[in-house]
């Protein structure tokens, strides 16, 4: 019971911190949660062989509540293109499915390296892109769209992120209006979070050395501790962000990701 109480106390605080930064930087929170999990899990006794699996699965489960809230908001505003999202969702399911199948076979070191490289690339993209990528006048149709979203879903499943960090710039590069791209990005989390978390529960059901009160690889204690605090802190972060310059926020987020990515890779050497 002591380890449960410790996890509750720690991850109530983590929920406040990650929720604030998610609101501040306008992100789903996976790129903030995952480094915190990676730094804290060894300290609270999560077994090394399953550390990244539990981190990834729990992070994906935490995507779902915020994705529901943000998707409803975009739908009410009329920004969510249902027809486009249906095609996008097919690829997401395929990509997340493949990633979820492969995830249990990856070692903690491999998964940490993949995540570290991912956030480094995201950090450099945010710091230096300035909207220069442009792939076409409109999003691809049919199989090409499914293929594109499959890649997004696969990366999301392997890194414990919602996929929104990739979705918005990719769709914007195809000249999709920003509001519609953000709406698809928010709804992306509904698919990636639900499929990945569900798959992780099944694939990790008989895994050894899991934290107490886990459903497969999903740590239920951490999930329940963080959901309300994330919801409380995120609006505070949004309020603070409105008082700061957009480019300042982008560069701060980019530098944070780059520093964390380099440190996580250094720890593997």
């Amino acid at each position: 019971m002591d380890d449960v109480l410790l996890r509750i106390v720690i991850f109530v605080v983590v929920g406040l911190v990650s929720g604030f930064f998610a609101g501040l930087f306008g992100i789903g929170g996976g790129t903030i949660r995952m480094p915190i999990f990676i730094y804290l899990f060894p300290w609270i006794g999560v077994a090394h062989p399953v550390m990244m699996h539990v981190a990834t699965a729990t992070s994906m489960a935490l995507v779902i509540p915020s994705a529901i809230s943000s998707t409803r908001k975009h739908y009410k505003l009329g920004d969510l293109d249902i027809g486009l999202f249906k095609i996008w969702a097919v690829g997401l399911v395929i990509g997340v499915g493949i990633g979820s199948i492969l995830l249990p076979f990856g070692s903690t070191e491999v998964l940490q390296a993949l995540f570290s490289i991912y956030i480094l690339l995201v950090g450099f993209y945010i710091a230096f892109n300035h909207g220069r990528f442009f792939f076409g006048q409109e999003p691809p149709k049919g199989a090409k769209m499914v293929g594109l979203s499959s890649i997004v879903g696969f990366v999301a499943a392997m890194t414990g992120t919602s996929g929104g960090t990739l979705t918005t710039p990719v769709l914007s590069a195809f000249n999709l209006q920003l509001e519609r791209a953000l709406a698809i990005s928010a709804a992306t989390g509904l698919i990636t979070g639900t499929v990945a978390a569900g798959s992780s529960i099944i694939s990790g059901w008989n895994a050894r050395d899991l934290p107490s009160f886990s459903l497969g690889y999903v740590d239920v204690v951490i999930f329940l501790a963080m959901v309300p605090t994330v919801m409380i802190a995120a609006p505070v972060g949004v309020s603070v962000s409105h008082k700061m310059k957009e480019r300042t926020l982008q560069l701060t987020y980019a530098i944070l990701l780059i520093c964390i990515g380099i440190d996580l890779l250094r720890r593997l050497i």
Side-chain angles (χ1 to χ4, degrees):
M1 185 59 69
D2 288 344
D3 76 304
V4 174
L5 292 175
L6 179 65
R7 292 196 338 258
I8 291 173
V9 171
I10 290 173
F11 287 96
V12 162
V13 177
V14 170
L16 291 171
V17 173
S18 64
F20 173 80
F21 282 110
L24 181 69
F25 296 129
I27 54 175
T31 51
I32 299 295
R33 282 192 303 271
M34 283 294 292
I36 295 175
F37 286 172
I38 293 169
Y39 288 128
L40 287 182
F41 276 12
W43 186 72
I44 64 171
V46 178
H48 181 77
V50 296
M51 185 190 78
M52 284 299 296
H53 305 77
V54 174
T56 302
T58 306
S59 178
M60 291 305 282
L62 285 162
V63 166
I64 300 170
S66 57
I68 292 173
S69 176
S70 56
T71 302
R72 287 180 61 186
K73 183 182 295 184
H74 283 291
Y75 181 76
K76 288 181 179 179
L77 291 172
D79 293 329
L80 183 60
D81 187 327
I82 299 298
L84 180 62
F85 178 65
K86 285 180 179 179
I87 301 172
W88 186 257
V90 172
L92 290 176
V93 172
I94 294 171
V96 174
I98 294 172
S100 298
I101 291 171
L102 294 178
L103 185 69
F105 298 101
S107 67
T108 287
E109 288 76 15
V110 168
L111 294 175
Q112 184 172 322
L114 287 174
F115 175 76
S116 304
I117 293 168
Y118 171 72
I119 63 171
L120 275 174
L121 292 175
V122 172
F124 283 121
Y125 172 84
I126 294 171
F128 300 111
N129 172 51
H130 300 300
R132 283 192 289 266
F133 288 110
F134 185 74
F135 300 143
Q137 290 294 334
E138 62 180 10
K141 308 291 185 182
K144 290 183 179 179
M145 175 66 90
V146 170
L148 192 62
S149 59
S150 294
I151 296 172
V152 172
F154 177 78
V155 172
M158 296 298 288
T159 59
T161 56
S162 67
T165 305
L166 284 178
T167 299
T168 301
V170 165
L171 292 180
S172 296
F174 283 103
N175 204 33
L176 190 69
Q177 186 181 8
L178 180 60
E179 288 79 6
R180 294 175 66 196
L182 289 171
I184 296 292
S185 176
T188 291
L190 282 176
I191 305 298
T192 57
T194 302
V195 175
S199 299
S200 295
I201 291 172
I202 295 170
S203 63
W205 194 260
N206 294 314
R208 300 176 60 184
D209 301 321
L210 293 173
S212 54
F213 299 100
S214 293
L215 283 177
Y217 290 120
V218 177
D219 189 315
V220 176
V221 174
I222 292 176
F223 176 81
L224 293 177
M226 287 186 65
V227 166
T229 52
V230 166
M231 294 299 186
I232 291 169
V236 179
V238 172
S239 298
V240 173
S241 72
H242 288 163
K243 300 175 183 178
M244 299 177 66
K245 293 181 179 180
E246 182 180 0
R247 191 56 186 161
T248 300
L249 286 171
Q250 289 176 339
L251 288 176
T252 302
Y253 181 46
I255 292 169
L256 179 64
L257 292 182
I258 292 169
C259 290
I260 292 172
I262 291 172
D263 183 61
L264 292 178
L265 285 176
R266 180 189 61 81
R267 289 165 175 255
L268 293 172
I269 299 174

